[in-house]
Amino acid sequence: MDDTRAGLTRRAVLETGAATGFFLVTGLPASSQPQPAAVVPPAAPAGIETVPLILRINNRDFTVDLDPRTTLLDTFRNSLGLTGSKKGCDHGQCGACTVLVNGRRINSCLTLAVMHEGDEITTIEGLATEDELHPMQAAFIAKDGFQCGYCTPGQICSAVGMLQEAAAGWPSHVSEDIATETVDLTDAEIRERMSGNICRCAAYANIVAAIRDVSEEA
């Protein structure tokens, strides 16, 4: 006899037998068979509230409206067109995004833009004047302190901040006398103080030479 003509198929018989075996093994009544969960449509994403800011960058005021989670680096690059500061690791480990805030060097990928309203921020674009390069920029060119150039903006900003730290008498890990008010910027001092800035092209010797030249002329 053809099972299909009796309203049964081999598949239906097998599925019924498997279900019966499941309930016999588990001891669950047939009425306790799990029912499919109701389909709940996903909730619409909540809108992101932005924050209006006025940022003082390179002696200019910029008005922005930002997600409060936006980093200073992403604000430069994505909102203001200041692409000199580079995104390298985005974890504060390579120094490619180094800028100056109130004269001190920071990693702009690790700080939020909303934290810096009222601060004086200087990026690589703000170091030179219309007519003249900053001495550190000129020294990097003269000493060939870059190869691919990707890390160079961060290297230069970091070097400018580092010389200000040394001028203020800040010691480093290799300083022999941490109480002295005058720092002798030896090659070892420069390397240690610039150790947070990575050059993947390994132009370190020329970077040190450029910084040393500027420090001697200051």
Side-chain angles (χ1 to χ4, degrees):
M1 178 179 177
D2 188 350
D3 289 342
T4 59
R5 284 181 291 176
L8 295 175
T9 63
R10 182 181 298 275
R11 182 181 182 87
V13 172
L14 292 175
E15 289 177 347
T16 302
T20 302
F22 170 78
F23 293 118
L24 289 175
V25 171
T26 61
L28 294 172
S31 60
S32 66
Q33 182 176 3
Q35 298 298 314
V39 177
V40 179
I48 298 174
E49 294 187 7
T50 58
V51 177
L53 296 173
I54 298 177
L55 296 174
R56 183 74 175 169
I57 304 172
N58 301 331
N59 296 317
R60 292 178 55 197
D61 288 333
F62 292 85
T63 301
V64 290
D65 203 38
L66 298 173
D67 180 332
R69 299 168 295 181
T70 307
T71 65
L72 193 57
L73 175 61
D74 286 341
T75 302
F76 296 148
R77 297 184 59 81
N78 301 335
S79 300
L80 302 177
L82 297 171
T83 56
S85 303
K86 298 299 187 284
K87 180 174 285 197
C89 65
D90 214 22
H91 287 78
Q93 297 174 345
C94 72
C97 67
T98 305
V99 298
L100 302 172
V101 175
N102 298 328
R104 293 182 60 177
R105 50 183 174 160
I106 68 166
N107 293 321
S108 59
C109 74
L110 293 184
T111 188
L112 301 178
V114 294
M115 300 167 61
H116 296 288
E117 192 167 31
D119 288 339
E120 288 286 343
I121 303 167
T122 304
T123 68
I124 189 66
E125 292 92 343
L127 288 180
T129 65
E130 293 184 359
D131 303 319
E132 189 177 10
L133 291 174
H134 187 280
M136 190 65 70
Q137 293 171 313
F140 265 67
I141 294 173
K143 295 296 184 180
D144 195 18
F146 52 88
Q147 291 184 32
C148 79
Y150 195 84
C151 74
T152 305
Q155 295 275 2
I156 291 175
C157 285
S158 185
V160 171
M162 183 271 287
L163 290 185
Q164 294 175 355
E165 294 165 7
W170 293 14
S172 77
H173 182 68
V174 299
S175 299
E176 295 183 2
D177 184 2
I178 64 173
T180 184
E181 296 182 358
T182 303
V183 175
D184 182 15
L185 278 179
T186 63
D187 286 2
E189 280 280 1
I190 294 173
R191 291 191 191 100
E192 172 62 25
R193 291 168 184 267
M194 292 293 295
S195 60
N197 290 81
I198 296 172
C199 174
R200 292 171 177 84
C201 300
Y204 294 115
N206 295 348
I207 291 171
V208 170
I211 296 172
R212 186 175 58 245
D213 278 5
V214 176
S215 69
E216 291 173 351
E217 293 173 2

